[in-house]
Amino acid sequence: MDSNPALVSRIDQLRRKRNALILAHNYEIGEVQAIADHVGDSLQLARIAAEDEDAEMILFCGVHFMAETAVILRPERPVHMPDPNAGCPLANMVSSRQLAEVRAEHPDAAVVSYVNTSAEIKTHSDICCTSANAVAVVQSIPEDREVLFLPDRNLGDWVRRQIGRQNMVIWNGFCPTHNRILERHVKEARAERPGAPVVVHPECRPEVRDLADEIASTGGMVRFCAESPAREFIIGTEIGMLERLRRDNPGKSFWPVTELADCPNMKLTTLEKVLWELEDLEHRVVLPDEVVDKAREPIERMVEILGN
Ligand code: SF4
């Protein structure tokens, strides 16, 4: 999508001048996805940020915890955001004080933190996960050790159901965007497009997941929709995902379960802000050295564990 050729051309000049790698999450608006070097889920983007050897800076089009993760993995390379106000309400649902209180009740539990947490919370974690590898990460914890899973209750419940693990304490957080997808939305969407597979994210409510044909991370959705013989799909996740799926599968149709699944934080990044950041370099994401050092280990463990 090249909605403003002059703007895109100026971004191209500046990204070359700065030797900048532009990363965009699958939930970003289509025109931002279109100018990115890589579009992906949190795990894919974390791996690219860790492994790329050439770029002199990263411009991260996503939300704050994603840019922090890129800083932690390669602290010597500047990471910038087009809009530093792009946060994640789910990540804000756990504070260090709250975590310390719960840990005091479960002192031997392994703390498994979804990547949607602040860098500070990651420093108190044994291992991080994304929705792509959450099941494998929890399975990597010895079966007789309790798991404290945070902060997303829906993802935690999905993992618990997948592997039948009883010794999991699950934090009571949720993604407001995915929580807006309701059972009745799935039923209405199915009635409108009978035969189209319903594919939803594990951050959705359990009763929504129960109605789905496939439950997958955004990276998993990309693969499922590419490989499926179906010609149209009903997608239950943040609606920016449909831009990615439509671009990858021009011969197929994609419909949201509901247009209400619209994350305002993901929509803060625009092409204009991408350009301004490449011009002014005003919004570098900086973390204290001790936070970077302590948070690196749980993130590196996460990056090593394969997703699906
Ligand atoms: Fe956070 Fe949900 Fe928005 Fe993702 S979609 S950034 S989890 S609020």
Side-chain angles (χ1 to χ4, degrees), residues 1-102:
M1 190 189 305
D2 189 349
S3 55
N4 185 335
L7 197 56
V8 173
S9 150
R10 181 75 184 128
I11 288 170
D12 282 340
Q13 283 170 10
L14 276 171
R15 78 204 300 177
R16 281 197 294 275
K17 179 177 162 198
R18 304 276 189 212
N19 191 12
L21 182 71
I22 303 182
L23 303 180
H25 191 266
N26 287 322
Y27 295 161
E28 291 291 309
I29 62 173
E31 55 190 22
V32 169
Q33 292 189 27
I35 56 97
D37 294 296
H38 300 278
V39 180
D41 63 22
S42 303
L43 186 59
Q44 291 163 339
L45 296 179
R47 286 207 177 105
I48 292 165
E51 289 165 10
D52 175 86
E53 296 291 342
D54 301 325
E56 288 172 49
M57 64 167 282
I58 288 178
L59 185 61
F60 212 116
C61 303
V63 293
H64 208 259
F65 74 80
M66 297 175 183
E68 284 185 342
T69 302
V71 172
I72 291 162
L73 286 166
R74 289 284 289 269
E76 71 284 1
R77 175 161 59 192
V79 177
H80 288 250
M81 290 181 73
D83 188 327
N85 296 313
C88 170
L90 169 60
N92 294 337
M93 288 184 189
V94 52
S95 69
S96 294
R97 183 184 54 76
Q98 291 168 321
L99 178 55
E101 284 170 10
V102 177

Side-chain angles (χ1 to χ4, degrees), residues 27 63 65 87-90 116 175-178 203 238 263 265-266:
Y27 295 161
V63 293
F65 74 80
C88 170
L90 169 60
N116 300 40
C175 161
T177 299
H178 285 87
E203 282 177 31
E238 207 285 331
C263 176
N265 291 283
M266 286 288 182

Side-chain angles (χ1 to χ4, degrees), residues 179-215:
N179 237 42
R180 280 198 288 274
I181 304 174
L182 303 178
E183 207 178 342
R184 74 176 164 82
H185 295 136
V186 180
K187 289 179 179 163
E188 287 163 10
R190 263 204 203 280
E192 244 178 85
R193 305 186 189 281
V198 174
V199 188
V200 309
H201 195 274
E203 282 177 31
C204 289
R205 296 164 182 266
E207 62 270 25
V208 167
R209 296 197 313 265
D210 286 346
L211 293 176
D213 298 296
E214 179 73 13
I215 302 164

Side-chain angles (χ1 to χ4, degrees), residues 149-189:
F149 187 95
L150 52 107
D152 190 276
R153 66 187 182 210
N154 293 327
L155 180 65
D157 173 72
W158 179 66
V159 171
R160 177 163 53 192
R161 289 206 217 175
Q162 294 278 299
I163 58 179
R165 188 162 181 151
Q166 296 308 313
N167 59 348
M168 283 179 75
V169 178
I170 298 175
W171 203 266
N172 193 22
F174 60 92
C175 161
T177 299
H178 285 87
N179 237 42
R180 280 198 288 274
I181 304 174
L182 303 178
E183 207 178 342
R184 74 176 164 82
H185 295 136
V186 180
K187 289 179 179 163
E188 287 163 10

